Amino acid sequence: MQSNQEMKKIFTLVLSLATLMPAIAKDLSEHDANNVIGWAAVGKTTGGQDKNAVTVTNYNEFKTALNSKTRPLTIYIDGEITMEQRLYVKNGNLTIYGLPGSKLVNPKNTKKEYNNSGVLYFQDAKNVIFRNVVFSCGGAFDVGGYDCLCLESCDNFWLDHCEFYDGMDGNVDIVEGTDHVTFTWCKFGYNLPPQSTGKEEAADHRFSNLIGNNDGMSSDNGHLRVTFSNCWWSEGCVERMPRVRFGQVHVANCLYSSTVTNYCFGVGYMSKIYAEGNAFVSDKAKANIYKFPNDKAKEAHHFKLVNSVGAADLDIAKGTEQHFNPSTAYSDVEVYSASLVEATVSHYAGATLTEEQLTSRGKPTAVANVSESSEVRSVEYYTIDGVQLASPKSGITLRKTTKADGKVVTEKIIMK
């Protein structure tokens, strides 16, 4: 039986947690698998498996966690973190969760600052998951600056319910043999206006997603396999939604709504793109479905567009290779009617997940770090309403740990 003072502490924690929850929590869409699908599933992406969880609140803590040799590893981003410069990461077996309201921000946007622009650059990393992470950079102003996120020579990445805005060079680059990547329910956009700095630089470089960065990189053929499912290229996107060289890219049930679209699909050299069930809703998107970015692209390409809203079916090909058809690689990507895409994707895409929706695979994950400096005397569990439990239940549970030295630690854990 708990004392009145102990129960008061628990109910005080419940009240404080409730004030941190979003005013309106969105349920997952009925079309949301809430699990890795597409090319990342073919690559057997598991991330950090919700193990060895740490919470970071600033740049130095984030940098230390990313550079940690502890693997597998789970990182929770809590609050807004301003990046001093983009961080290079080579370690995989990692999951990064963005808690509601969190954000990775790098506002640098001048020629003088470009070497410190961008957020994250993964190189030779394998098996990484991002969920509910918001990337925000200083604006599309290509003076040699960097992307919000770049994956170079990586494998097995799943990015779910993430947002990418205002990358200096682009929002996301996938290059140099990176393989088995899936984006689900992600949102790409540009909130900041383009900057004019002189004719020698690209003042308007709101070019969102690049897959393959060199027509001469023949080693990319057979790699750069990427799935986009239920993603949204929103206002401000001008080009590269995505722009593809060599890759086998599947784009399903995605939304194109930017009113400044120059082209949606960049059908590049040796690209193999299969797009189905997408919705092109702005006049500019409807009028500019695809483009050959250069003459080289016209020599070899394969682009199939079917069952869209706002665009007629297309099947264009040149070269000796067969069309890529995702059904030969996987069958776990649901494709529903394109007539439902605008309402569905505009409502559910982006960093909309609650804390309870973030964790997976039935493992408890502490949102806060707990000191292990003294022996544990007892552990008790409570519902969010303060009712004591015999064991933790599905959803949010409060765990009260009493140490041998008398210290009491109360934390929130999440079970799926």
Side-chain angles (χ1 to χ4, degrees), residues 171-193:
N171 281 327
V172 182
D173 277 13
I174 298 174
V175 298
E176 298 193 22
T178 291
D179 211 2
H180 299 114
V181 179
T182 295
F183 295 85
T184 50
W185 303 95
C186 289
K187 184 178 180 182
F188 310 95
Y190 292 87
N191 296 320
L192 300 175

Side-chain angles (χ1 to χ4, degrees), residues 44-314:
K44 303 188 185 306
T45 305
T46 58
Q49 303 175 62
D50 290 342
K51 294 181 179 179
N52 300 313
V54 296
T55 303
V56 298
T57 60
N58 59 54
Y59 173 80
N60 287 330
E61 290 177 353
F62 190 38
K63 181 178 180 180
T64 298
L66 288 171
N67 290 333
S68 168
K69 293 183 179 179
T70 299
R71 289 296 188 275
L73 177 66
T74 303
I75 299 174
Y76 284 88
I77 301 168
D78 188 4
E80 185 172 304
I81 294 178
T82 300
M83 308 295 291
E84 295 177 11
Q85 59 184 22
R86 71 171 176 172
L87 292 174
Y88 287 80
V89 186
K90 290 197 172 186
N91 293 330
N93 299 322
L94 169 69
T95 294
I96 299 178
Y97 291 127
L99 294 174
S102 65
K103 185 184 295 187
L104 298 175
V105 180
N106 190 339
K108 297 178 180 63
N109 66 354
T110 68
K111 188 170 185 177
K112 183 178 180 180
E113 297 174 311
Y114 79 88
N115 277 328
N116 292 322
S117 64
V119 176
L120 291 174
Y121 190 105
F122 281 80
Q123 186 178 48
D124 300 318
K126 299 182 186 302
N127 193 28
V128 176
I129 292 173
F130 283 88
R131 301 194 75 187
N132 217 55
V133 180
V134 178
F135 296 74
S136 180
C137 291
F141 167 45
D142 187 17
V143 290
Y146 300 128
D147 313 292
C148 291
L149 174 67
C150 183
L151 309 181
E152 178 185 324
S153 304
C154 294
D155 204 357
N156 305 334
F157 272 67
W158 176 38
L159 302 101
D160 178 58
H161 282 278
C162 294
E163 299 180 17
F164 303 86
Y165 298 111
D166 298 301
M168 197 171 184
D169 177 49
N171 281 327
V172 182
D173 277 13
I174 298 174
V175 298
E176 298 193 22
T178 291
D179 211 2
H180 299 114
V181 179
T182 295
F183 295 85
T184 50
W185 303 95
C186 289
K187 184 178 180 182
F188 310 95
Y190 292 87
N191 296 320
L192 300 175
Q195 301 183 60
S196 179
T197 62
K199 63 181 181 181
E200 76 280 3
E201 287 140 4
D204 189 351
H205 204 267
R206 293 176 290 175
F207 305 161
S208 188
N209 298 73
L210 179 68
I211 301 174
N213 61 347
N214 191 323
D215 289 339
M217 191 77 69
S218 59
S219 58
D220 278 346
N221 207 22
H223 301 284
L224 302 179
R225 291 175 287 187
V226 183
T227 302
F228 294 91
S229 174
N230 292 284
C231 292
W232 182 9
W233 282 278
S234 64
E235 190 54 42
C237 293
V238 173
E239 297 179 4
R240 300 182 182 175
M241 302 178 245
R243 193 263 201 236
V244 183
R245 294 177 175 94
F246 294 103
Q248 298 177 36
V249 178
H250 184 202
V251 182
N253 289 142
C254 291
L255 175 61
Y256 294 80
S257 65
S258 175
T259 61
V260 293
T261 302
N262 281 350
Y263 69 76
C264 299
F265 293 92
V267 181
Y269 180 63
M270 296 294 289
S271 60
K272 295 164 279 288
I273 304 169
Y274 193 98
E276 57 181 331
N278 301 295
F280 304 88
V281 299
S282 71
D283 290 341
K284 291 280 283 185
K286 293 175 185 178
N288 299 281
I289 299 298
Y290 77 96
K291 179 181 179 180
F292 297 119
N294 56 29
D295 288 339
K296 185 74 171 176
K298 297 177 183 179
E299 297 177 9
H301 56 264
H302 300 84
F303 176 43
K304 189 165 187 174
L305 179 74
V306 295
N307 302 327
S308 307
V309 164
D313 286 0
L314 290 168

Side-chain angles (χ1 to χ4, degrees), residues 384-406:
I384 197 72
D385 297 319
V387 178
Q388 190 167 5
L389 301 169
S391 62
K393 302 296 184 182
S394 176
I396 298 175
T397 300
L398 303 181
R399 178 169 62 193
K400 175 187 171 186
T401 304
T402 303
K403 302 296 185 71
D405 60 5

